[in-house]
Amino acid sequence: MSETTHDGAVAVSAPPSADDGLSPAELAKKYGLSVSGARVGLGEYIRQMWGRRHFILAFSQAKLTAQYSQAKLGQLWQVVTPLLNAAVYFFIFGLLLGGRGGMKNDMYIPFLVTGVFVFTFSQASAMAGVRAISGNLGLVRALHFPRASLPISFALQQLQQLLFSMIVLVVVLLGFGHFPDFAWLLVVPALALQFVFNTGLALILARMGAKTPDLAQLLPFLLRTWMYASGVMYPLEHMLNKAGAHPWVSDLLLANPAAVYMDLMRYALINDYPSSNLPPHVWALALGWAVLIGFGGFVYFWKAEEQYGRG
């Protein structure tokens, strides 16, 4: 089409396009376009995660190495920190407040150190998870990869740190007369279930922390409350009975995941550890928490995949 302008020149206009009047969604469908960073199906997402398994492992190892790179003791702080915490708790709860529930040192110290190491595993996974997305926005915005790789790698980092610390825990157990037996084999499934739980917890907090960065400031207070409610420093059932707690309160606290995984580890590692301290159906509880939080947390995180790094 053409028309004559006021100065006599001829202007040619483009002919109508077949795309005129189409909405952006219709145009995308017509030309096979898709939204950048759109969430894929859950099965495809898991397949992509498996394809990034080497990245997840390498990233967790790099973070573990860099964590104490500026400290003179380096990786020894992985062990020194929980041991120092255990020493403080022993002084306060074991000596000053009489919170050992009648246990002698050869039982109470392994009980305490095991509890500190196991709870620190979950605590550190939660703290790392809440910053997994918000603390790595440059990486999230620069590269295309399944975002769940980040919180999973942080949980894996904490597992590697715990396994390193287990060497010291074994020394403590042997030093107080708790020698290996067949029950020690239960450590493997107990830690596997706790790792799945911790990974799900990290995924849940990663999504929440990506939307609300202030959660990272509140989380230490929540974790401290969780620690006191889980019997890290004292036999929880003894203290609840001493306080005259209602049975439903005792059942609720004894069934919380931190208490469950600590009791499993104590039962496996400490000779003659009273099985009455274990809540009913403890393995079912451990498996249930792993499935609920582990796999539920993965789905919860995946549902917001396309939102991470936006805004």
Side-chain angles (χ1 to χ4, degrees):
M1 297 179 63
S2 64
E3 59 181 16
T4 304
T5 62
H6 68 278
D7 58 358
V10 178
V12 180
S13 60
S17 171
D19 294 338
D20 290 348
L22 295 179
S23 67
E26 291 170 335
L27 284 170
K29 182 178 180 180
K30 178 179 179 179
Y31 291 102
L33 303 178
S34 60
V35 178
S36 176
R39 186 185 72 203
V40 299
L42 185 58
E44 174 63 18
Y45 192 72
I46 294 173
R47 190 191 68 79
Q48 292 181 5
M49 288 289 301
W50 177 251
R52 303 302 196 285
R53 61 190 183 279
H54 300 298
F55 162 75
I56 294 173
L57 180 59
F59 189 78
S60 67
Q61 291 175 338
K63 284 291 184 180
L64 184 63
T65 302
Q67 185 174 0
Y68 300 107
S69 60
Q70 302 299 319
K72 291 185 177 180
L73 292 181
Q75 301 297 315
L76 287 177
W77 281 110
Q78 298 177 35
V79 177
V80 172
T81 299
L83 282 178
L84 288 176
N85 285 332
V88 172
Y89 299 148
F90 174 77
F91 176 71
I92 295 175
F93 293 94
L95 297 180
L96 295 183
L97 300 181
R100 61 175 66 199
M103 288 187 286
K104 297 181 179 180
N105 283 344
D106 61 345
M107 178 69 73
Y108 179 68
I109 293 178
F111 170 93
L112 175 62
V113 174
T114 302
V116 170
F117 276 51
V118 173
F119 184 80
T120 299
F121 180 27
S122 292
Q123 181 184 45
S125 297
M127 287 300 301
V130 76
R131 295 186 176 93
I133 300 298
S134 60
N136 294 277
L137 285 178
L139 184 62
V140 170
R141 290 170 176 169
L143 300 175
H144 177 69
F145 62 96
R147 308 315 189 198
S149 302
L150 293 176
I152 290 175
S153 67
F154 283 115
L156 185 58
Q157 172 194 346
Q158 300 308 321
L159 176 61
Q160 294 175 74
Q161 186 164 324
L162 175 67
L163 293 178
F164 183 77
S165 303
M166 289 288 288
I167 299 172
V168 177
L169 177 56
V170 169
V171 172
V172 172
L173 290 166
L174 295 176
F176 286 93
H178 300 277
F179 299 103
D181 57 22
F182 286 111
W184 281 35
L185 296 176
L186 297 175
V187 168
V188 176
L191 280 184
L193 291 173
Q194 188 183 6
F195 172 68
V196 174
F197 168 83
N198 289 353
T199 302
L201 182 62
L203 287 162
I204 292 171
L205 292 172
R207 174 175 172 177
M208 296 172 66
K211 185 177 181 180
T212 311
D214 286 351
L215 180 61
Q217 308 304 320
L218 177 63
L219 190 59
F221 301 98
L222 300 178
L223 291 173
R224 193 172 303 129
T225 302
W226 190 22
M227 178 181 68
Y228 288 123
S230 301
V232 176
M233 299 81 66
Y234 38 74
L236 185 58
E237 188 175 20
H238 170 79
M239 297 301 287
L240 290 171
N241 291 336
K242 184 177 178 180
H246 291 288
W248 69 268
V249 175
S250 298
D251 292 340
L252 184 65
L253 291 181
L254 289 170
N256 98 71
V260 168
Y261 293 122
M262 279 190 296
D263 277 336
L264 279 178
M265 290 291 289
R266 286 164 171 162
Y267 179 74
L269 294 173
I270 301 175
N271 298 340
D272 301 321
Y273 181 74
S275 59
S276 60
N277 286 358
L278 296 177
H281 314 299
V282 62
W283 284 104
L285 282 170
L287 178 61
W289 281 119
V291 172
L292 177 64
I293 302 300
F295 295 101
F298 183 80
V299 174
Y300 174 76
F301 182 91
W302 160 75
K303 283 184 172 294
E305 175 75 10
E306 58 193 6
Q307 302 174 16
Y308 303 128
R310 303 290 178 94

